[in-house]
Amino acid sequence: MKLAVCLLALLFIVVEPRTIEAAQRRPPVQRASGPAYIRLTDWARSRNFELRWLKKDETLQLTRQSARLSFTVDSNDADINGVGVRLLFPIAVRDGVPCVSQLDSQTTLDPILSPPRSRRSASVTRICLDPGHGGRDSGNRVGSHLEKTYTLMLAQELATQLTRAGYKVTLTRDTDKFIELSDRAEIARRRSADLFISLHFNSAPNSASTVRGAEVYCMTPVGAPSTNARGEGSSAGWYPGNRSNEKNVLLAYQLQKSLAKNLATEDRGLHRARFAVLRDATTPAVLIEAGFMSNPSEGRKIFDAGYRRQIAKSIVDGIGAYRQATEQKRS
Ligand SMILES: [Zn+2]
């Protein structure tokens, strides 16, 4: 079962899977109750992938030069070039044919595999870092360690490294002060940021102290359920954050890839959530849960400046990969 991320206050909404409004440029090949699905065989052929079952009706793999995707029937968990990605809807088999939701095709797979290009004038130069929590909102607490302290220290280290790499950096807070969730994206907008990155550390209950790893969230597309649907509200409608659906998922993917590759921890994958800071964002935006304070071993590392430097370096590399993908010509 998915553990709650660090802050229920950050959560907003989500709904049942329902008909999808945003995704209908092409008519769906198949439609049952629930989301529209398309044949994965057609999808693969049109994108030059070879599809084969690793285990009939259970696991399948799609390969082409320099790309490999793995899917499991009835599961949302996918693997894209070695990176964990949580699909919006599970892979299904209809009449013996594997199918993927049309919304995943358009807002998960295609943006990652064929990155959206930016106009030169839209390139990434200014980055807004958002250290989670602050002031009267401590975030997670493990012993005397407060999440708000470590998100700020990580943000300051990351700001140093990004500045050294040539970016302009702005922080939603650089002291221990409280900022409303609703103000954080607004601060990024006012300061003309090109990217918004919210930084957090996770926690699990005592009974799950072995849980560890990094995960990255981006905004849930219209009509889809979030990973953390439990206990959320009632609207899967449109928010400003949906303007950047394609870039959101590409940024989240590149960051998850870099964190999973560079930190010796578990790859918990890319997820979707309608967190307030992602919902209101007017630029591509992600929320990073960089590790579990509640895991004794990972917690010790998070409280150590050397490890936070590694986290920061991984984020710098992920932003670099995103920038390269969006600014290069589509092949
Ligand atoms: Zn948090």
Side-chain angles (χ1 to χ4, degrees):
M1 193 177 72
K2 186 87 194 130
L3 288 156
V5 283
C6 59
L7 214 219
L8 277 175
L10 273 173
L11 304 185
F12 203 67
I13 24 189
V14 173
V15 245
E16 328 295 326
R18 231 183 258 177
T19 53
I20 295 146
E21 300 157 358
Q24 310 356 353
R25 277 174 228 140
R26 290 167 300 160
V29 174
Q30 307 197 2
R31 186 185 281 276
S33 59
Y37 273 84
I38 56 177
R39 293 183 184 90
L40 208 40
T41 42
D42 293 345
W43 186 93
R45 196 176 307 117
S46 65
R47 290 157 180 81
N48 296 319
F49 275 96
E50 220 163 85
L51 183 154
R52 70 187 177 104
W53 286 104
L54 297 179
K55 195 170 179 194
K56 180 69 179 151
D57 291 343
E58 283 185 32
T59 53
L60 57 140
Q61 194 171 71
L62 279 71
T63 48
R64 73 179 181 196
Q65 199 180 12
S66 75
R68 189 176 65 195
L69 319 181
S70 304
F71 298 115
T72 303
V73 172
D74 294 335
S75 169
N76 296 61
D77 292 323
D79 181 297
I80 301 182
N81 293 328
V83 183
V85 173
R86 179 100 184 146
L87 298 173
L88 298 165
F89 297 99
I91 295 293
V93 172
R94 304 266 165 84
D95 300 325
V97 180
C99 296
V100 65
S101 80
Q102 195 167 51
L103 200 51
D104 274 309
S105 166
Q106 291 174 342
T107 65
T108 308
L109 303 179
D110 283 344
I112 291 173
L113 296 166
S114 302
R117 282 167 59 191
S118 290
R119 285 170 288 115
R120 181 167 285 278
S121 60
S123 66
V124 176
T125 53
R126 189 180 298 264
I127 297 172
C128 182
L129 302 179
D130 175 45
H133 314 283
R136 66 177 187 262
D137 170 15
S138 298
N140 290 309
R141 174 194 293 266
V142 173
S144 60
H145 299 285
L146 305 178
E147 183 188 354
K148 66 174 182 176
T149 310
Y150 296 98
T151 59
L152 180 56
M153 288 198 281
L154 175 60
Q156 288 168 332
E157 171 61 31
L158 180 53
T160 301
Q161 292 193 23
L162 285 170
T163 305
R164 208 181 296 143
Y167 297 96
K168 294 189 170 71
V169 182
T170 182
L171 276 71
T172 54
R173 67 178 178 97
D174 55 10
T175 58
D176 179 20
K177 71 175 175 193
F178 178 79
I179 303 177
E180 295 285 356
L181 292 174
S182 55
D183 290 342
R184 294 177 185 245
E186 174 59 18
I187 292 171
R189 191 191 65 75
R190 275 205 310 270
R191 296 181 190 164
S192 306
D194 302 311
L195 294 182
F196 178 88
I197 298 179
S198 192
L199 300 168
H200 290 259
F201 291 105
N202 233 327
S203 184
N206 284 344
S207 57
S209 63
T210 56
V211 175
R212 66 189 190 121
E215 55 195 16
V216 179
Y217 287 80
C218 65
M219 179 65 186
T220 315
V222 177
S226 295
T227 296
N228 50 2
R230 200 159 30 98
E232 291 186 302
S234 59
S235 173
W238 187 91
Y239 291 93
N242 288 120
R243 271 196 206 107
S244 308
N245 275 347
E246 292 188 324
K247 288 187 173 175
N248 289 340
V249 77
L250 179 65
L251 177 62
Y253 175 81
Q254 293 297 352
L255 287 167
Q256 182 65 32
K257 183 178 179 181
S258 184
L259 289 164
K261 193 179 77 179
N262 294 315
L263 303 177
T265 189
E266 198 173 307
D267 172 7
R268 292 176 58 84
L270 179 163
H271 297 265
R272 286 354 202 284
R274 293 186 175 90
F275 293 133
V277 291
L278 303 180
R279 222 171 53 214
D280 300 335
T282 51
T283 64
V286 294
L287 184 147
I288 298 174
E289 294 281 0
F292 278 76
M293 295 168 61
S294 51
N295 179 295
S297 151
E298 193 160 79
R300 253 195 316 278
K301 291 200 283 184
I302 289 166
F303 309 145
D304 175 74
Y307 187 69
R308 290 195 303 273
R309 272 196 294 278
Q310 288 180 45
I311 298 174
K313 169 79 166 61
S314 306
I315 296 172
V316 174
D317 289 352
I319 292 170
Y322 166 83
R323 192 174 167 180
Q324 200 175 20
T326 50
E327 293 177 10
Q328 76 185 188
K329 289 205 167 110
R330 201 188 293 231
S331 54

